[in-house]
Amino acid sequence: MALTPISEATPPGMTKGAAPWQSGHPVWQLGYRPFYLLAAVFAAIAIPLWLASYLGWLPGGARLGLGWHMHEMVFGFAVAVVVGFLYTAGRNWTGLPTPHGAPLMALAGLWLAGRVAMACFPGAAAALVDWLFLPLATYPLYRVLRRSGNTRNLFLVGLLALLALANGLYHAGAQGALALPPMLPVQAAIFIIVLIESVIGARVIPMFTRNGAPGSAPAASPKRALAAVACMAAAAIAWLAGAPGALTAPLAFCAAGVSLANLLAWQPQRTLRVPLLWILHLSYAWIGIGFALLGLASLGLLPASAALHALTVGSMAGLIIGMMTRTTLGHTGRPLKAGRAEAGMYWLIQLGALARLLAAAGPASLYVPALLAAGLCWSLAFAGFVLAYAPYLWRARVDGREG
């Protein structure tokens, strides 16, 4: 019997010629595929929709207000990428399957239903549909980690549970069931995601740098990484609790200093010719910048929006697009090499972060132009990802392997 060439082989779980609505289609074979694609499409359209609503250009767009914008960028966009990444990493860590096929289809459908419900049918039912995603998405990861004995990464399940709690508190505040400003749980969720970024970044950025930047010798320090996380958590708690600036500012400056010390030890200067690496280093630098700005905001020297957007647009979106491109290339069997499309996406996110910082902390006359520039950069970056990477995410691996 003739052997099937590897390029024509059908990996386990995938049905050759399956339609996208069938569980055997390549897009349903691993978590990064649907969630990266859905998150990028959503990111590309959500910001223009919010800007049009905010500036009064969208008839009947009142429901797409600031609350919707804050919630959807964190609990919609960012959470989808986090879940897709952790499902993919979880399979690598444990060797056990994370949701794929029909269960992955159901989770992606629930996430999409949450986005539609939050935009079109705000209310208790929409809140429930949206809130259910995180608990239902977290449990399979918990089960895989426990079954494999991978206790080292169980803390991530705890952080996802905290995100679900924050989302529940947001909805309780928004629905008037709890006397809590909806902004507070969103800010808490931002800090939780930044902690996830910091932990994962400290693990992988030095390794990626060592393997991908000739002549580099990054020094990873677990103690310093832990100190950075501890300082970030302390500063975040102080900020959320409304502690005096005399307490919050030193904690935030400490978090910034330790975070940037971590980065300097990873030799970012060695990565300038490698876009897949410099985007991770530069985006990680925004964590330190964000906490430094948070310290200034706690002293009343800057608007809080400047710090929060440094953390969300600069670090969160930068690391997200950097990791989405890298993991998609690697897990679809392609070389880990960025071209002009990737470099364009990376620069657009960084320019968008600077423009958003200018909108938050610059002259009032520049607020709207800077806001529009930031939104344009953001949307072009994620639209670029969709155009360049949708074919990779939609098709089977080029090497015929599973995933």
Side-chain angles (χ1 to χ4, degrees):
M1 184 173 64
L3 293 175
T4 305
I6 191 168
S7 60
E8 299 178 10
T10 303
M14 194 177 81
T15 304
K16 191 172 183 179
W21 54 86
Q22 295 176 313
S23 62
H25 190 273
V27 78
W28 308 117
Q29 299 314 301
L30 198 53
Y32 74 97
R33 289 178 175 269
F35 284 120
Y36 284 8
L37 188 55
L38 287 169
V41 171
F42 182 65
I45 63 176
I47 291 298
L49 282 175
W50 174 70
L51 284 172
S53 174
Y54 178 72
L55 296 172
W57 299 345
L58 185 66
R63 66 170 62 95
L64 305 181
L66 182 60
W68 177 83
H69 165 66
M70 294 186 309
H71 178 273
E72 291 300 280
M73 287 299 96
V74 177
F75 294 109
F77 162 67
V79 158
V81 178
V82 168
V83 168
F85 174 83
L86 290 179
Y87 278 1
T88 307
R91 197 186 74 163
N92 285 351
W93 294 334
T94 66
L96 298 175
T98 51
H100 60 284
L104 185 57
M105 290 178 72
L107 285 168
L110 179 60
W111 178 88
L112 188 58
R115 309 291 61 78
V116 173
M118 290 297 294
C120 302
F121 312 105
L128 179 61
V129 171
D130 171 68
W131 180 81
L132 280 173
F133 173 73
L134 265 170
L136 292 178
T138 300
Y139 180 70
L141 182 66
Y142 166 76
R143 188 172 59 183
V144 163
L145 294 175
R146 283 300 301 263
R147 183 180 166 194
S148 67
N150 191 304
T151 56
R152 177 176 183 240
N153 290 304
L154 275 175
F155 77 94
L156 291 166
V157 172
L159 291 177
L160 290 177
L162 286 176
L163 281 174
L165 175 62
N167 197 17
L169 291 173
Y170 169 87
H171 286 300
Q175 298 298 320
L178 193 65
L180 183 71
M183 169 72 83
L184 202 62
V186 174
Q187 291 182 0
I190 290 170
F191 289 126
I192 293 167
I193 293 174
V194 169
L195 289 176
I196 294 173
E197 293 170 5
S198 182
V199 172
I200 299 295
R203 289 184 184 179
V204 303
I205 294 175
M207 177 182 66
F208 291 162
T209 303
R210 188 177 298 109
N211 295 338
S216 66
S221 169
K223 289 183 179 179
R224 193 168 54 236
L226 182 60
V229 168
C231 290
M232 289 177 200
I237 291 169
W239 173 267
L240 294 169
L247 173 61
T248 304
L251 292 173
F253 292 144
C254 178
V258 181
S259 175
L260 293 174
N262 262 333
L263 179 63
L264 290 174
W266 301 340
Q267 298 186 327
Q269 73 278 7
R270 298 281 188 177
T271 70
L272 299 180
R273 297 178 182 271
V274 189
L276 281 177
L277 292 176
W278 67 246
I279 182 59
L280 301 180
H281 284 261
L282 186 53
S283 301
Y284 190 91
W286 277 103
I287 297 178
I289 294 168
F291 273 96
L293 296 177
L294 190 74
L296 295 175
S298 71
L299 296 173
L301 300 176
L302 272 180
S305 177
L308 295 171
H309 282 97
L311 293 173
T312 51
V313 183
S315 76
M316 191 184 298
L319 286 169
I320 278 174
I321 205 161
M323 291 303 294
M324 285 202 310
T325 49
R326 185 183 188 92
T327 54
T328 299
L329 291 172
H331 284 278
T332 58
R334 291 174 168 82
L336 290 175
K337 186 176 181 181
R340 292 181 180 178
E342 289 81 4
M345 299 173 211
Y346 301 162
W347 280 117
L348 282 167
I349 288 294
Q350 298 306 313
L351 291 172
L354 291 173
R356 192 60 187 85
L357 196 58
L358 177 62
S365 60
L366 293 179
Y367 176 73
V368 171
L371 194 64
L372 290 172
L376 180 63
C377 288
W378 171 285
S379 293
L380 288 176
F382 285 103
F385 178 87
V386 173
L387 290 173
Y389 278 70
Y392 302 167
L393 296 165
W394 202 253
R395 298 170 187 158
R397 288 181 59 126
V398 296
D399 56 9
R401 293 173 58 188
E402 186 178 9

